[in-house]
C-alpha cells in the first residue's frame, strides 16, 4: 500500500513528515519533491547573504508562483511558512535560563535583549522580505484574507496568522495612515470601491452614491501609502439639526439637502472596513476621533456627535433568550402580551413569531414595549464571555467611549433590518467630555446608558 492508498481519515502529516517522505498522499496538493523545492525557494528569500533588494526580488518570484497556484497548493505554502520558519526551541530555553539568572544584576537588560532575539521567528524576516517588493504588502494582506477561513480547521496555520497580524498592527499603525475626504469629485475608481465595500447599507445606484457624497454630507477614509487608492476603512456622516431616528431619510436620494449653516449634529451612519486580511488591526476608533476633529474645524457649530447604528445580534439573541426574558416579565405585562397574542399564557415561540411583524405594531402595543425593553437589556447589560458588550457594533462604539443614547423604533424597515433587529436601530452618543469616564465604567463591567434607555430597564 502506498501513501496515496491510505484512507481519507488518516491523520494529516506535518510538513516535517512530508518533507522527509518519498510519496504524497491523496489529500496533499504538493508532492514531497515539490514541497522541498518550494521550501528551498522560501529559504532563499531569507538568505542572510543577500540584500534586501534581492530578497524582495526572490519574494516577488514566490508571489508569482503563488498567483498561479491552486487553493490546495497555496495551503501547502502557508503550512511551510507556519511550520518551517519557527524559532529555535533550544536557543529560547538557553536564553530564558540566562535571563532568569541575570535578573537583578547589571546583565539583566542585555539578557532580555538576547531572549527577545532568540524568540523571534525566522518567519518574521520571511514576511518582511515579501513586503519589500512594490506589491508585497497587498500580497500579504490578500494572503491573510484567504487564510483566515481555514484557521478553525487547520490549527497548524495559527502561528502564521499571528505573525501577520502582529506585523500588520505595526505597518498599519494610525500614525502611518492618511485621512482623506471622499467626495463626488473623487476619482470614479475610488467611488466604485466605496460602492463595493459598503457593508452596512448597500449603495444601490450611482444616484445613491452621489447622495452620500454630496456637499451636505461627508465621507472620510483611512489610506495607507503602500495600498494607494484603497480605503482601509471609511465612515459616512450626515450633518443634521437633531439625532437621526431612522435610516430611510438619510438614504433618500430625493430628499432635500441639509442646511449646513444650521447643522448642530454629526451622525455617523455607516462605518465599513474593506480589508478582511486586516482583521484584528484596530483603527476604527482613531478614524472617528480624526473625523470629529476635522468636522469641528470645518463646522465649529457642531455640538453633538452620535451614530445611527444597526443592532445586528439582537434578533438572534432574542431567539435564545426569549423564554428567560418572558419568565422575568412582570405579571401585568405578561397578561397584556397574552391578550395581544390571543392566548391564555404567552409563549416564547408565539411571541418571537409575532415579532416578525414588528413593523405593524402601534405605539400602545405590549409587544412593542416588551421588545424595546429587551433591546435595552441587550445593549445596556449583556456582556460576552470576554467581559465586552455582546453586540458587535455596541462593542466597537462603547469601547471607544460612547454611550447607549436612544433606541429608535422601526428605524430600519428593510428586510435586513427586520431580520437582524426587528427594525430597531440605536444612537450611540460620543460625549467628548466623558469618553474616558465611559471607558472606565465599561472596564468595570458597567455599560453607560442614557436616562431614556435606563428607564426601559427599570
Amino acid at each position: 500500500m502506498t501513501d496515496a492508498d491510505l484512507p481519507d481519515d488518516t491523520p494529516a502529516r506535518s510538513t516535517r513528515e512530508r518533507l522527509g517522505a518519498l510519496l504524497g498522499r491523496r489529500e496533499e496538493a504538493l508532492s514531497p519533491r515539490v514541497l522541498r523545492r518550494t521550501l528551498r525557494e522560501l529559504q532563499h528569500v531569507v538568505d542572510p547573504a543577500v540584500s534586501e533588494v534581492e530578497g524582495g526580488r526572490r519574494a516577488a518570484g514566490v508571489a508569482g508562483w503563488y498567483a498561479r497556484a491552486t487553493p490546495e497548493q497555496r495551503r501547502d505554502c502557508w503550512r511551510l511558512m507556519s511550520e518551517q520558519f519557527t524559532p529555535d526551541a533550544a536557543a529560547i530555553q538557553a536564553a530564558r535560563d540566562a535571563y532568569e539568572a541575570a535578573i537583578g544584576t547589571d546583565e539583566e537588560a542585555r539578557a532580555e535583549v538576547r531572549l527577545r532575539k532568540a524568540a523571534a521567528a525566522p518567519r518574521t524576516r520571511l514576511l518582511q522580505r515579501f513586503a519589500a517588493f512594490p506589491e508585497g504588502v497587498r500580497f500579504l494582506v490578500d494572503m491573510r484574507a484567504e487564510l483566515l477561513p481555514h484557521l478553525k480547521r487547520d490549527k497548524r496555520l495559527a502561528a502564521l496568522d499571528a505573525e501577520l497580524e502582529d506585523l500588520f498592527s505595526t505597518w498599519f499603525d494610525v500614525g502611518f495612515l492618511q485621512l482623506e475626504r471622499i467626495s463626488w469629485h473623487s476619482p470614479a475608481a475610488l467611488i466604485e470601491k466605496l460602492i463595493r465595500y459598503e457593508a452596512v447599507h448597500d449603495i444601490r445606484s450611482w444616484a445613491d452614491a452621489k447622495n452620500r457624497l454630496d456637499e451636505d454630507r461627508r465621507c472620510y477614509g483611512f489610506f495607507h501609502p503602500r495600498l494607494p487608492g484603497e480605503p482601509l476603512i471609511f465612515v459616512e456622516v450626515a450633518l443634521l439639526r437633531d439625532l437621526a431616528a431612522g435610516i430611510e431619510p438619510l438614504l433618500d436620494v430625493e430628499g432635500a439637502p441639509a442646511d449646513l449653516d444650521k447643522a448642530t449634529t454629526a451622525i455617523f451612519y455607516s462605518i465599513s472596513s474593506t480589508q478582511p486580511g486586516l482583521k484584528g488591526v484596530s483603527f476604527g476608533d482613531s478614524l472617528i476621533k480624526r473625523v470629529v476633529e476635522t468636522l469641528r474645524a470645518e463646522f465649529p457649530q457642531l455640538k453633538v456627535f452620535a451614530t445611527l447604528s444597526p443592532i445586528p445580534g439582537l434578533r438572534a439573541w432574542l431567539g435564545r433568550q426569549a423564554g428567560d426574558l418572558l419568565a422575568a416579565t412582570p405579571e401585568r405585562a405578561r397578561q397584556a402580551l397574552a391578550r395581544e397574542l390571543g392566548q391564555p399564557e404567552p409563549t416564547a415561540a408565539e411571541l418571537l413569531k409575532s415579532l416578525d411583524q414588528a413593523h405593524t405594531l402601534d405605539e400602545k402595543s405590549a409587544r412593542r414595549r416588551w421588545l424595546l425593553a429587551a433591546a435595552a437589556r441587550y445593549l445596556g447589560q449583556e456582556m460576552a464571555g470576554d467581559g465586552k458588550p455582546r453586540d458587535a457594533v455596541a462593542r466597537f462604539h462603547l469601547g471607544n467611549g460612547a454611550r447607549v443614547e436612544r433606541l429608535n423604533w422601526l428605524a430600519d424597515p428593510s428586510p435586513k433590518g427586520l431580520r437582524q433587529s426587528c427594525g430597531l436601530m440605536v444612537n450611540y452618543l460620543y460625549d467628548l467630555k466623558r469618553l474616558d469616564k465611559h471607558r472606565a465604567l465599561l472596564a468595570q463591567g458597567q455599560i453607560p446608558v442614557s436616562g431614556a434607555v435606563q428607564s426601559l430597564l427599570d
Side-chain angles (χ1 to χ4, degrees), residues 231-252:
L232 307 180
I233 186 171
F234 61 89
V235 59
E236 298 167 52
V237 188
L239 303 175
L240 308 172
R241 299 179 67 176
D242 300 292
L243 282 181
I247 194 61
E248 286 190 320
L250 302 185
L251 303 183
D252 183 5

Side-chain angles (χ1 to χ4, degrees), residues 317 321 325 374 376-384 388-391 447:
W317 176 78
Q321 300 295 324
L325 292 170
R377 172 174 169 175
Y378 175 66
L379 293 175
Q381 294 181 344
E382 284 295 308
M383 296 285 202
K388 296 181 180 180
R390 186 172 298 278
D391 186 80
I447 296 176

Side-chain angles (χ1 to χ4, degrees), residues 411-425:
D412 184 1
S414 69
K416 179 180 178 181
L418 293 172
R419 184 174 63 252
Q420 287 187 338
S421 60
C422 304
L424 293 180
M425 297 186 77

Side-chain angles (χ1 to χ4, degrees), residues 160-433:
L160 175 59
D161 174 63
E163 197 86 55
L164 284 166
E165 183 176 344
D166 285 347
L167 286 172
F168 291 163
S169 295
T170 300
W171 296 346
F172 290 89
D173 182 85
V174 293
F176 301 124
L177 303 182
Q178 301 165 344
L179 181 71
E180 297 180 15
R181 181 184 170 190
I182 306 170
S183 74
W184 185 243
H185 303 293
S186 297
L190 177 55
I191 297 176
E192 287 176 347
K193 289 177 181 177
L194 210 68
I195 295 172
R196 183 167 74 248
Y197 290 137
E198 167 60 54
V200 184
H201 305 291
D202 291 342
I203 298 177
R204 296 158 292 185
S205 65
W206 281 96
D208 188 358
K210 186 177 189 302
N211 177 54
R212 303 191 198 196
L213 299 176
D214 236 338
E215 291 304 316
D216 64 327
R217 299 291 182 89
R218 291 295 182 270
C219 178
Y220 299 94
F222 263 152
F223 293 79
H224 191 280
R226 293 297 299 275
L227 298 177
E230 191 82 16
L232 307 180
I233 186 171
F234 61 89
V235 59
E236 298 167 52
V237 188
L239 303 175
L240 308 172
R241 299 179 67 176
D242 300 292
L243 282 181
I247 194 61
E248 286 190 320
L250 302 185
L251 303 183
D252 183 5
V253 297
E254 302 296 334
D259 185 344
L260 294 184
D261 292 334
K262 296 180 179 179
T264 61
T265 303
I267 296 293
F268 302 87
Y269 64 93
S270 179
I271 301 176
S272 298
S273 297
T274 70
Q275 306 298 315
L278 295 180
K279 179 181 179 181
V281 180
S282 176
F283 33 62
D285 57 337
S286 298
L287 173 67
I288 290 179
K289 292 173 187 172
R290 293 273 297 276
V291 169
V292 167
E293 293 171 0
T294 302
L295 289 172
R296 292 179 76 186
E298 186 178 0
F299 303 102
Q301 77 274 19
L302 291 178
K303 304 300 181 185
V304 178
F305 298 89
T307 77
L308 180 64
S309 299
I311 316 174
L314 177 61
R315 187 61 176 79
W317 176 78
L318 284 175
R320 299 188 300 269
Q321 300 295 324
D324 292 339
L325 292 170
L326 195 54
T329 301
E331 182 60 28
R332 186 172 179 179
R334 285 171 58 87
Q335 291 175 359
L337 289 171
R339 287 193 296 271
E340 280 195 15
L341 294 171
Q343 296 177 336
E345 183 69 21
T347 66
E350 287 298 324
L351 179 56
L352 286 173
K353 182 178 179 181
S354 74
L355 291 179
D356 290 337
Q357 302 300 316
H359 58 287
T360 65
L361 303 178
D362 60 34
E363 291 187 11
K364 297 181 179 180
S365 167
R367 284 171 290 170
R368 174 171 171 158
R369 292 194 298 272
W370 185 90
L371 177 56
L372 285 169
R377 172 174 169 175
Y378 175 66
L379 293 175
Q381 294 181 344
E382 284 295 308
M383 296 285 202
D386 59 3
K388 296 181 180 180
R390 186 172 298 278
D391 186 80
V393 176
R395 179 180 294 229
F396 174 80
H397 289 297
L398 296 173
N400 293 337
R403 79 179 184 197
V404 185
E405 184 67 11
R406 188 177 74 184
L407 285 167
N408 299 292
W409 182 261
L410 207 59
D412 184 1
S414 69
K416 179 180 178 181
L418 293 172
R419 184 174 63 252
Q420 287 187 338
S421 60
C422 304
L424 293 180
M425 297 186 77
V426 59
N427 299 120
Y428 295 104
L429 178 70
Y430 281 84
D431 185 335
L432 303 182
K433 296 180 179 180

Side-chain angles (χ1 to χ4, degrees), residues 66-174:
Y66 184 94
R68 301 185 299 273
T70 66
E72 293 77 15
Q73 291 170 339
R74 292 180 179 188
R75 286 197 287 274
D76 273 350
C77 184
W78 303 340
R79 290 168 186 143
L80 284 174
M81 290 179 170
S82 199
E83 294 184 313
Q84 297 300 314
F85 293 85
T86 59
D88 185 327
I92 292 177
Q93 186 60 54
R96 181 184 291 115
D97 292 342
Y99 172 69
E100 291 175 352
I103 292 176
T105 73
D106 291 343
E107 288 296 310
E108 180 177 345
R110 296 174 67 180
E112 180 188 346
V113 171
R114 288 192 290 269
L115 176 57
R116 292 168 68 91
K117 288 183 177 180
R123 188 186 309 108
T124 303
R125 191 66 178 144
L126 174 66
L127 298 175
Q128 289 171 334
R129 285 282 172 91
F130 273 90
F133 69 93
E135 297 299 322
V137 172
R138 171 83 276 169
F139 167 79
L140 292 175
V141 171
D142 288 346
M143 184 179 77
R144 184 169 184 246
E146 189 179 5
L147 176 152
L148 284 171
H150 298 275
L151 288 177
K152 286 186 178 179
R153 290 198 311 259
D154 194 344
K155 293 181 171 52
R156 295 173 291 178
L157 302 175
L160 175 59
D161 174 63
E163 197 86 55
L164 284 166
E165 183 176 344
D166 285 347
L167 286 172
F168 291 163
S169 295
T170 300
W171 296 346
F172 290 89
D173 182 85
V174 293

